[in-house]
Amino acid sequence: MLVFEAKLRGTDEQYAILDEMIRTARFVRNSCLRYWMDNKGVDRYDLNKYCKVLREQFSWCKKLSAQACQASAERAWSAIARFFENCKKNVPGKKGYPKFKKHQTHGSVEYKVDGWVLSDDRLTITFRDGFKAGTFKMWGTRVLHFYQKEQIKRVRVVRRADGYYVQLSIDTERIEKHSPTNRMVGIDVGLNHFYTDSDGKKIENPRFLLKAEKALKRAQKRVSRRTKGSKNRKKAIKKLGRKHLTVSRRRKDFAVKTARALIQSADLVAIEDLKVRNMVKNHHLAKSISDASWTLFRQWLEYFGKVFDVPVIAVAPHYTSQNCSNCGHEVKKALSTRTHKCPHCGYIDDRDTNAAINILVKALQGLAQLPSGRRKVTPLGR
């Protein structure tokens, strides 16, 4: 699936109808969740059947497309299934018991193949269910002429702080060619530098939240000083939301471009299997770790690894910073010590570069243990 996104251009009356559509979808999702809580043994098919009951019981709920109601029920079941899966895996800590969704700045409603029509020139979209939202212009950079209308399997309307967007899920496979580079690289993520590879190359940490923190505090003060329930407070909340959205988009843009460039420059990428959820429990480093967005970077790294057919191997992070990459002996050092000096062999290197080399060696050792038929690359010597 490819997801293309475009901004919706319409009138204020149309935007109000989109709000009503999103509110109705949230009501269906919460009602299905309550039905599951009150009735033992309910499965996903029972939730789909319960959508019909809701449409008969509430006339305004019937305005929403039947398939859109089912999509909202599927969202509720997705939260339930994730909770069950975490319980089976015995995930430490909270298992993620499903919660009701409340009104927020962001929200969405999802359609399947019914309830919307795309124009022949692929520039406008019309929602034709009971709400009668009308026709919207789609403003974006994606060209949809390369895909047939039958390939669009889902249409999602998303509300954000800066407006309304439509997401089109297209049923197609993305495959891109990768030119061999004869280079294998291990990367060690950090806070001083975003990551350091086994060749000694460093990428600076952009620190988007730190740079925008002053403006965010100023916007938050404006919200706090406004009277609750007033129009000025709602305007201040929108401005604050747009600033947070800017930080989020900058992080994503940086993660996507950095991950794609790294995948294209190597035939194998080794990373650490970090438990970021546990790392942010350190209140001294939690903000900096969240600002670095290592999890987002890893997700895009693995995605582009599949697109370009480049292996991305995650290894255990234990002792990668302490062990010497030259002789293998353990050299204990504090977090403030940024230079690796081995007393056994005299090897001196940057702490992060030494860790990146150890990560690459671990990945190649694990690759060498696989049967030859399952290897995408052949382990080479150091």
Side-chain angles (χ1 to χ4, degrees), residues 208-219 247 287:
F208 295 115
L209 180 61
L210 182 63
K211 295 177 181 177
E213 201 166 20
K214 197 176 203 179
L216 289 173
K217 287 182 178 180
R218 193 181 299 113
V247 175
K287 184 188 291 187

Side-chain angles (χ1 to χ4, degrees), residues 362-376:
K362 271 192 173 185
L364 294 179
Q365 288 174 351
L367 188 66
Q369 296 175 1
L370 291 176
S372 58
R374 296 179 58 188
R375 301 176 189 168
K376 288 188 177 181

Side-chain angles (χ1 to χ4, degrees), residues 11-27 103-109 131 133 136 157-160 163-164 238:
T11 62
D12 292 339
E13 292 77 9
Q14 288 180 305
Y15 294 150
I17 295 176
L18 292 182
D19 287 334
E20 190 177 354
M21 292 161 54
I22 294 173
R23 186 165 55 249
T24 304
R26 185 175 64 247
F27 168 78
H103 175 73
Q104 295 173 324
T105 302
H106 58 275
S108 63
V109 56
F131 285 103
F136 295 83
V157 178
V158 182
R159 180 181 61 205
R160 296 198 179 99
Y164 298 83
K238 286 185 178 181

